[in-house]
Amino acid sequence: MKNIQKSLAVVARDEKAISPSSRSPYYPFAAASGAGALLKDADGNEYIDFSAGAASLNTGTCHPRVVTAIKEQAEKLLCYTIGYMYEESSVELAEKLISITPGDFPKKVAYGLSGSDAIDGAIKFARKYTGRSEIITFQTAYHGCTYGALSASAICLNMRRGIGPMLPGFHHFPYPQCSRCPWKEEPSSCSLACLEEIKKAFSLYLPPEEVAAVIIEPVGGDIGIVVPPARYVRALAELYREHGILFVSDEVQQGMGRTGKWFAIEHFGIEPDIIAVSKSLASGMPLSALVMRSEIADSLKDPGHCFTLAANAVCCRAALATIEVIEDERLLERSAKLGRNICGRLNSMKRENPLLGDTRSLGLTIGQEIIKADGGPDRDACAKICYRCWEKGLILTFLSDNVLRIQPPLVISDQEAEKGLKIIEESLEDYKNGAISDEALLFAKGWS
């Protein structure tokens, strides 16, 4: 066992000083430094990063070009609020985001500080522009923890216990999960029964002319990396266009190249009315952006979505450097290719290890199910395997009880990726051989 005394000391201090509401614990890893896809803890132990800071570090930890942009800007101007004044980097970034987001129509940008406030903003803009109040989202969706984003989410009871009521006007429908279809349909002959649930609501109790927007994750992230059928997403968009309902794509987790395209919704051929971006937008610096049709952006007047520190110059320069890195290092192509390779390795492991169930992916966002002999989810096995991976030098987490969440930085090398996969393979063997103690479950809680 590696020495983790300094890390454990950080954990002990954390427990006394920080609210437990802000973390789902997996293991006592106290990050201290890193570069690219490698991290070091407080004790100097080195790890391969298969998490990318919850998909916020697509360019890796401390990419030199991003660090240089931050340093150079910090020496000139940290922030002078664009809530009252003007500053060029925020304009330059908005112009760049307009150019890389799907949709050949006039667009504008509204800034914030996190994915949660971006979703709150999407709700505000949609309601103001349409003059409608109702919002459609999905069961198992995670959109954030501010009250608007929380009201749109439906994945975790601990997010809602004791803090209601939520915002009114939200309607949650089944997210299309082909591997766990409640109607027992097969993808090849699917009747899109899940979409019929929305149509049924439109005919019985939810007037479509009162619905402002649908907010959807083009990949269901925290449910366990679920990629919906393209025909569902297209039929959904067509249904909403028919009723004048805005289409909002939540790209907070999957955007900025993670899926092999700039934005995950591009895989489905849809041009959203509003796109919400954060996390990797500025390589982990606090920044969010809504990119939307100009007429929607112009509908909400000041100070309807105004934050004093939003689009500060340091974060905007970090975001511009991030985009340049993704372009210059061809990370879209890198994400698509390496994602296929990792999935190939996982599928080859299945031939030797029955613990591995369904593998779901889009680019470098990959979910690997851990299952029991009867095919059911095995949360304890997943938690133990995740913990053992950390003990062996790999940072990754799990979702939805039994899904390993594999989302490395897009800059990870082939050698680093292979070493991480080898650690997963060894940890699977350790579990199969009964070599992982139940003590791991005392710490590895994950989502609860």
Side-chain angles (χ1 to χ4, degrees):
M1 179 65 181
K2 61 174 73 76
N3 178 21
I4 57 167
Q5 294 307 305
K6 291 181 180 179
S7 296
L8 290 174
V10 173
V11 171
R13 290 167 57 201
D14 180 289
E15 290 176 347
K16 293 180 179 179
I18 296 179
S19 167
S21 65
S22 60
R23 178 184 298 104
S24 298
Y26 291 94
Y27 31 72
F29 171 68
S33 63
L38 299 176
L39 297 167
K40 286 187 178 180
D41 65 13
D43 299 274
N45 300 304
E46 189 169 85
Y47 302 82
I48 295 169
D49 186 8
F50 265 25
S51 177
S56 65
L57 301 171
N58 286 1
T59 61
T61 298
C62 296
H63 193 288
R65 291 174 64 176
V66 177
V67 171
T68 296
I70 291 170
K71 285 181 176 179
E72 290 179 352
Q73 183 57 53
E75 291 176 349
K76 295 187 292 186
L77 182 72
L78 291 172
C79 178
Y80 203 85
T81 181
I82 66 167
Y84 299 142
M85 311 302 175
Y86 301 86
E87 193 278 322
E88 187 177 18
S89 68
S90 62
V91 180
E92 188 178 341
L93 177 58
E95 292 169 342
K96 189 64 179 178
L97 287 171
I98 287 167
S99 73
I100 65 174
T101 46
D104 186 19
F105 43 76
K107 299 175 230 169
K108 288 186 178 179
V109 172
Y111 289 114
L113 296 160
S114 73
S116 294
D117 70 47
I119 298 301
D120 281 14
I123 295 164
K124 289 187 289 187
F125 278 101
R127 284 176 165 172
K128 183 63 172 68
Y129 176 72
T130 63
R132 305 174 180 185
S133 60
E134 307 307 290
I135 304 290
I136 287 176
T137 61
F138 294 87
Q139 296 164 15
T140 69
Y142 176 72
H143 294 293
C145 286
T146 52
Y147 262 101
L150 184 56
S151 300
S153 302
I155 191 171
C156 177
L157 289 175
N158 277 355
M159 293 175 67
R160 291 181 174 231
R161 279 193 175 103
I163 61 170
M166 297 294 106
L167 297 186
F170 287 82
H171 307 269
H172 300 88
F173 291 93
Y175 192 85
Q177 296 186 70
C178 293
S179 63
R180 298 183 184 178
C181 176
W183 294 274
K184 309 300 182 185
E185 296 194 4
E186 295 296 327
S188 59
S189 58
C190 174
S191 66
L192 297 183
C194 44
L195 187 63
E196 289 301 316
E197 291 292 300
I198 299 175
K199 293 179 179 179
K200 186 188 301 181
F202 283 174
S203 69
L204 294 177
Y205 64 89
L206 181 58
E209 69 274 9
E210 295 181 11
V211 177
V214 58
I215 304 174
I216 188 170
E217 299 171 281
V219 176
D222 289 66
I223 187 184
I225 315 300
V226 174
V227 183
R231 59 190 291 260
Y232 174 90
V233 180
R234 292 166 187 157
L236 180 74
E238 184 177 336
L239 175 65
Y240 291 139
R241 297 279 184 251
E242 176 185 340
H243 293 289
I245 298 168
L246 300 184
F247 193 103
V248 180
S249 185
D250 179 349
E251 299 278 352
V252 172
Q253 183 181 146
Q254 309 303 340
M256 303 308 295
R258 175 145 295 280
T259 66
K261 295 184 181 290
W262 279 111
F263 302 98
I265 197 65
E266 294 179 78
H267 290 278
F268 305 95
I270 305 299
E271 297 179 349
D273 301 291
I274 302 175
I275 291 179
V277 193
S278 188
K279 286 204 178 190
S280 276
L281 172 58
S283 291
M285 296 290 283
L287 180 65
S288 69
L290 291 169
V291 188
M292 55 196 138
R293 292 179 181 272
S294 291
E295 60 269 28
I296 299 172
D298 290 341
S299 68
L300 188 63
K301 304 305 178 184
D302 66 283
H305 194 65
C306 178
F307 305 91
T308 302
L309 302 181
N312 69 77
V314 174
C315 288
C316 286
R317 288 299 170 195
L320 286 162
T322 297
I323 294 170
E324 289 176 0
V325 168
I326 294 171
E327 290 177 329
D328 293 349
E329 298 186 13
R330 302 177 65 85
L331 294 184
L332 300 185
E333 296 93 328
R334 174 69 178 160
S335 176
K337 180 181 179 181
L338 187 54
R340 289 192 297 270
N341 292 344
I342 291 175
C343 288
R345 279 281 283 115
L346 291 169
N347 284 320
S348 69
M349 289 183 204
K350 292 178 188 178
R351 292 193 287 269
E352 302 295 329
N353 201 315
L355 283 167
L356 295 176
D358 193 27
T359 305
R360 299 183 291 269
S361 68
L362 206 56
L364 275 178
T365 194
I366 301 164
Q368 176 58 61
E369 284 192 341
I370 304 297
I371 58 174
K372 299 177 181 177
D374 63 2
D378 195 335
R379 181 185 176 90
D380 285 358
C382 191
K384 285 185 173 184
I385 290 163
C386 186
Y387 195 91
R388 178 51 58 93
C389 284
W390 163 71
E391 290 181 321
K392 288 176 172 286
L394 179 68
I395 299 298
L396 85 163
T397 60
F398 63 91
L399 299 164
S400 188
D401 286 342
N402 73 316
V403 180
L404 295 178
R405 176 185 185 177
I406 302 172
Q407 292 183 306
L410 311 187
V411 297
I412 191 169
S413 70
D414 290 344
Q415 294 75 19
E416 290 162 344
E418 177 55 33
K419 186 175 180 181
L421 288 166
K422 187 66 176 175
I423 289 174
I424 291 176
E425 192 170 32
E426 292 171 356
S427 299
L428 287 164
E429 284 299 312
D430 286 351
Y431 178 81
K432 193 165 64 171
N433 295 329
I436 308 176
S437 167
D438 286 346
E439 290 183 6
L441 300 177
L442 299 177
F443 205 102
K445 303 296 185 183
W447 277 85
S448 58

